[in-house]
Amino acid sequence: MFHVKLPGDDTIARQADERLVTYQVKLPQKVVQRPLRQVAKRLAIALLLLVLTGLLVWFDHGGYTDNSDGSVDMLDAFYYATVTLSTTGYGDITPTSDLARLTNILVITPLRVLFLIILVGTTLEVLTERTREEWRLNRWRAALRDHTVVVGFGTKGRSAVETVCASGLRKEQVVVVDPSARVVDAAAAEGYAGVIGDATRSDVLLRAELHKARQIIIATQRDDTAVLVTLTARQLNRRAKIVAAVREEENAPLLRQSGADAVITSASAAGRLLGLSVLSPAAGLVMEDLIHQGSGLDVVERPVTKAEVGMSVRDTTDLVVSVVRGHRVLGYDDPDVGTLQLTDRLITIARVTRTTWTTPDIRPLPQE
């Protein structure tokens, strides 16, 4: 049995709940009626059939005989409807006239069949729901390869996912891990698969198939949690690219030592953008455009084409910012760049079109 932890404001209660939670996987689902509403609707239909049958018997009560007193009143009519629709059939009340028997054949018998279909169908649906969900979950796990795992689906995690999906990544290739059931429900509603649980636990990350992931985005609320998640993730997957966010800049080296390929200091980055906007509002607008991927001007990484081999950076048609050569990132004006090589990758600024994005390099980023 899985335990679901609901987010709350009480820290003690939250910590107690965390000890109970293991994990829970939620796949995106189509918008359907709530189960309680579906059961209530079927129950209402069943009661309507029961009332309709009881009224039919009452309108023709003269065609029925009660073995106890010979007459059939309103209570007897509904009693007969109940035992008839449920196929119990005690035989104490029986149709004796031709009209009553014809009504049983043409009306009450079809109502009995419909009544049973509603009850049996509801029961079977409840019994098979878990089996169907398990089958769907196993099929999802078997098909998941080279996906992106996002740990933490707050403002940072959501923005990171939107940016990655703007580059062409399908939502089916994203798995969100978060300890809040409400957050994972929101992610599932947007089309992402989600795992409810503590991402510092290896069993939770394995449920997200992290060992088969291509990219891992760590956007937790606390820096110490980000360090533990990074250590666990790197232990489970040696080849994946791990990008982590921290609040304090002093914790960035610790994240790199833990196995992160790139570390973003969210507070410092926001502060620099604020300062730039104060000094030059126009430059701030340009930077805002660059960090919002999928529209306007974007920073794009692409391989060097065969036609560009041997050229200088300034001879290319794109606005090149940096050149990635091996494990080094060289500025466009770095004398070590020289001429472009076939194994180089270019960091360019380009206006986004449907064909702008290319598959990013999955090699670890250079360490400072």
Side-chain angles (χ1 to χ4, degrees):
M1 178 181 296
F2 296 120
H3 300 277
V4 179
K5 178 175 71 65
L6 297 177
D9 296 330
D10 189 348
T11 304
I12 298 178
R14 183 169 63 251
Q15 293 175 349
D17 287 342
E18 288 175 352
R19 290 193 293 267
L20 295 175
V21 174
T22 53
Y23 53 79
Q24 183 178 1
V25 180
K26 287 198 174 185
L27 301 182
Q29 296 183 353
K30 297 180 180 179
V31 178
V32 296
Q33 289 184 337
R34 295 178 179 178
L36 184 59
R37 182 176 298 178
Q38 292 181 357
V39 173
K41 181 184 292 185
R42 296 184 184 186
L43 181 59
I45 295 175
L47 291 176
L48 180 62
L49 294 177
L50 180 62
V51 171
L52 179 59
T53 305
L55 292 177
L56 286 174
V57 175
W58 167 246
F59 288 149
D60 190 29
H61 62 276
Y64 292 83
T65 300
D66 188 351
N67 294 335
S68 62
D69 56 9
S71 62
V72 176
D73 55 14
M74 179 67 76
L75 178 60
D76 294 334
F78 279 93
Y79 165 75
Y80 175 80
T82 303
V83 298
T84 300
L85 291 182
S86 62
T87 68
T88 304
Y90 293 115
D92 48 353
I93 299 178
T94 57
T96 56
S97 69
D98 292 340
L99 179 59
R101 292 176 178 176
L102 186 62
T103 302
N104 267 264
I105 295 173
L106 299 180
V107 180
I108 296 180
T109 297
L111 291 177
R112 180 190 301 118
V113 174
L114 182 59
F115 185 84
L116 292 176
I117 289 175
I118 292 173
L119 294 184
V120 174
T122 302
T123 303
L124 290 178
E125 183 173 351
V126 172
L127 292 177
T128 59
E129 180 64 29
R130 178 158 185 166
T131 301
R132 183 167 60 245
E133 188 65 23
E134 282 291 331
W135 176 80
R136 185 179 177 220
L137 187 59
N138 291 334
R139 187 178 63 173
W140 168 76
R141 286 174 179 156
L144 200 60
R145 292 287 189 282
D146 293 332
H147 57 289
T148 299
V149 177
V150 181
V151 180
F153 200 65
T155 302
K156 292 181 293 186
R158 188 186 298 270
S159 299
V161 171
E162 291 174 353
T163 300
V164 174
C165 288
S167 69
L169 183 69
R170 294 180 293 111
K171 289 186 176 182
E172 294 80 4
Q173 287 295 106
V174 176
V175 182
V176 174
V177 181
D178 198 281
S180 170
R182 186 183 305 172
V183 171
V184 173
D185 286 340
E190 295 182 20
Y192 308 112
V195 178
I196 304 173
D198 184 0
T200 61
R201 296 171 57 91
S202 59
D203 58 339
V204 174
L205 295 180
L206 288 174
R207 286 290 169 175
E209 302 296 313
L210 182 136
H211 55 289
K212 298 186 293 185
R214 181 179 183 178
Q215 302 166 129
I216 303 169
I217 300 173
I218 300 175
T220 58
Q221 298 297 324
R222 295 169 54 93
D223 289 359
D224 53 352
T225 304
V227 172
L228 290 175
V229 174
T230 303
L231 285 169
T232 307
R234 181 54 74 195
Q235 183 181 21
L236 295 175
N237 192 328
R238 296 290 183 182
R239 67 177 183 85
K241 178 184 292 185
I242 299 179
V243 179
V246 293
R247 292 179 178 271
E248 302 296 334
E249 193 165 5
E250 62 183 11
N251 295 326
L254 185 58
L255 262 295
R256 293 189 181 94
Q257 294 175 10
S258 301
D261 297 305
V263 181
I264 307 299
T265 307
S266 57
S268 298
R272 293 188 186 101
L273 185 58
L274 286 173
L276 179 62
S277 299
V278 169
L279 296 175
S280 173
L285 290 175
V286 173
M287 289 300 300
E288 185 87 13
D289 185 18
L290 289 175
I291 63 177
H292 280 81
Q293 303 288 5
S295 62
L297 297 175
D298 278 0
V299 178
V300 179
E301 179 180 347
R302 67 171 180 83
V304 172
T305 63
K306 292 183 178 180
E308 294 173 332
V309 175
M311 290 184 177
S312 67
V313 171
R314 292 180 174 84
D315 293 333
T316 61
T317 57
D318 292 339
L319 180 59
V320 178
V321 178
S322 299
V323 176
V324 181
R325 178 170 296 166
H327 292 284
R328 302 171 63 196
V329 178
L330 306 174
Y332 73 96
D333 57 348
D334 193 315
D336 291 340
V337 172
T339 58
L340 296 177
Q341 304 174 11
L342 187 60
T343 56
D344 292 342
R345 295 182 68 87
L346 303 180
I347 309 296
T348 67
I349 295 178
R351 186 164 296 279
V352 175
T353 63
R354 289 185 177 272
T355 58
T356 299
W357 283 94
T358 59
T359 303
D361 191 359
I362 63 173
R363 292 174 299 175
L365 297 179
Q367 303 292 328
E368 296 295 340

